Amino acid sequence: MGWRGILGFEYGIVQAPLGPDISGPELVAAVANAGGLGLLRAPDWEAPDHVRRLIRNTRTLTDKPFGIGVVLAFPHKENIKAILDEKVAVLQVSWGECPKDLVLEAQQAGVKIVPQVGSFEEARKAADAGVDAIIVQGREAGGHVIGQDGLISLLPRVVDLVGGRIPVIAAGGIVDERGCVAALALGAQGVCLGTRFLATRESYAHPTYKLKLVEHDKTEYTDVFGRARWPGAPQRVLKTPFFMDWRTLPSHENEANQPVIGRSTIHCMEKEIRRFAGTVPNVTTTGDIESMAMYAGEGVGLIKEILPAGEVVKRLVEGTQLLIQQQFHGEKL
């Protein structure tokens, strides 16, 4: 298969860092044990001791390498220091500049650094900084979406830009072997999936959230959620009844003056959840779950069941190999 051995992993299947704490040790270890690259999600505040615990807890569940994602739009310097001290395999960064000094610091610590980008210009800067790989996120992706370009147009441009010097990983709307094959055809060497791994047994998402991922098949690109906490960070969400009732929320409104609709423990911190907050419900969340943000990519309509994460990796790998052999081997246009 075209992505065997990418970044030193058995398969080029990457489980996206699902925030704020949905991709915890259980999910990441399950993906790692199946041969993929699992990514923890660091807190959006400085909590280096907690980051160390997350990493060490994951190591009790797997002896395989894994990584952790950091959102650079939030305080992160102490968290990154802890990550590099712990020498995880991969530091994934997003929503911010990935400067050359950070790249060098990570690489000198023996940690591979992989930024996620949403534009050609971002990809150029990342490549110039000497990163180890680039995740290209299309507008089809779930959660917070940094770019405006679709994956099918952006991905091959980035592949041409790096000219085989840096592995390119495709993200956005990919949930099955057909998406994997499409990404390979566009020049990617790996795929990064968020929504498909969100809908797994080991994901830390609330059961109601997982159920909605199976029930709903439509998403929308919006900025209704989290305007006060994270301005300028639009997101793709499920078209739940709550969202459809509020999707035209006036631009001057945000979560700051809204009622509290629930509570949650996130990275060991007790948090209130206000209406229109961008916090997705995890297994500890109580309150009006169905009125909370539920991020999902455009491929959600292809998700029909909640599976073990290892089974997701297995089906992706075997399905992709079979599809290539059956549909494309030896065929001529």
Side-chain angles (χ1 to χ4, degrees):
M1 203 157 101
W3 52 52
R4 286 189 75 93
I6 185 173
L7 293 174
F9 290 80
E10 189 173 358
Y11 303 118
I13 308 291
V14 181
Q15 163 253 305
L18 304 167
D21 63 350
I22 303 301
S23 57
E26 291 78 13
L27 175 57
V28 170
V31 172
N33 287 332
L37 168 53
L39 296 173
L40 295 164
R41 172 72 142 73
D44 293 335
W45 57 88
E46 295 285 26
D49 291 341
H50 178 73
V51 168
R52 290 180 191 277
R53 283 195 299 271
L54 271 179
I55 293 168
R56 292 173 184 179
N57 288 344
T58 307
R59 285 182 171 142
T60 67
L61 302 173
T62 182
D63 58 359
K64 301 287 185 68
F66 57 89
I68 186 167
V70 174
V71 176
L72 299 177
F74 298 107
H76 58 267
K77 288 186 178 178
E78 292 303 312
N79 290 343
I80 287 182
K81 184 176 184 300
I83 290 165
L84 300 186
D85 286 347
E86 289 293 321
K87 299 190 183 300
V88 298
V90 173
L91 168 62
Q92 187 262 14
V93 295
S94 60
W95 285 89
E97 194 80 21
C98 182
K100 185 167 285 189
D101 59 347
L102 175 59
V103 173
L104 288 173
E105 185 182 5
Q107 292 172 341
Q108 285 169 0
V111 176
K112 293 173 181 175
I113 186 164
V114 180
Q116 178 171 283
V117 305
S119 69
F120 182 79
E121 189 53 41
E122 271 191 292
R124 185 193 298 279
K125 289 179 181 177
D128 289 345
V131 300
D132 294 285
I134 297 173
I135 299 174
V136 177
Q137 182 196 52
R139 197 173 186 268
E140 305 90 336
H144 294 89
V145 183
I146 198 168
Q148 294 297 313
D149 295 328
L151 187 63
I152 199 169
S153 59
L154 179 59
L155 177 59
R157 291 190 69 206
V158 176
V159 169
D160 289 348
L161 169 72
V162 301
R165 294 177 290 114
I166 303 169
V168 177
I169 299 162
I174 301 169
V175 298
D176 65 8
E177 66 273 12
R178 292 168 293 184
C180 292
V181 172
L184 278 179
L186 293 169
Q189 291 174 270
V191 292
C192 180
L193 297 86
T195 309
R196 176 61 271 189
F197 283 111
L198 183 60
T200 58
R201 291 182 192 169
E202 295 89 349
S203 139
Y204 203 54
H206 193 280
T208 299
Y209 185 8
K210 295 183 187 183
L211 184 63
K212 297 297 180 187
L213 294 169
V214 175
E215 289 179 348
H216 289 270
D217 60 3
K218 292 183 174 63
T219 65
E220 187 163 316
Y221 183 79
T222 182
D223 74 340
V224 163
F225 296 101
R227 290 173 177 171
R229 174 178 173 270
W230 195 358
Q235 62 273 166
R236 184 173 297 284
V237 301
L238 287 176
K239 285 189 172 183
T240 61
F242 172 82
F243 172 72
M244 295 306 289
D245 286 343
W246 294 96
R247 62 199 288 256
T248 57
L249 186 73
S251 59
H252 66 276
E253 294 282 356
N254 62 51
E255 70 271 27
N257 62 351
Q258 294 294 316
V260 174
I261 61 169
R263 286 176 168 76
S264 191
T265 302
I266 301 169
H267 288 303
C268 296
M269 296 274 286
E270 298 293 327
K271 301 279 188 179
E272 289 184 339
I273 300 177
R274 295 185 179 273
R275 187 168 61 188
F276 308 130
T279 306
V280 297
N282 69 22
V283 295
T284 74
T285 306
T286 58
D288 185 2
I289 304 296
E290 299 203 8
S291 296
M292 296 179 186
M294 293 189 182
Y295 304 139
E298 284 188 348
V300 70
L302 295 168
I303 297 174
K304 306 300 183 186
E305 58 184 328
I306 308 300
L307 294 169
E311 182 67 17
V312 170
V313 175
K314 182 173 182 287
R315 290 188 185 189
L316 286 170
V317 171
E318 292 180 354
T320 299
Q321 292 170 333
L322 188 62
L323 184 58
I324 290 171
Q325 291 167 3
Q326 289 184 342
Q327 299 293 326
F328 303 107
H329 184 67
E331 287 191 5
K332 295 180 180 178
L333 293 177

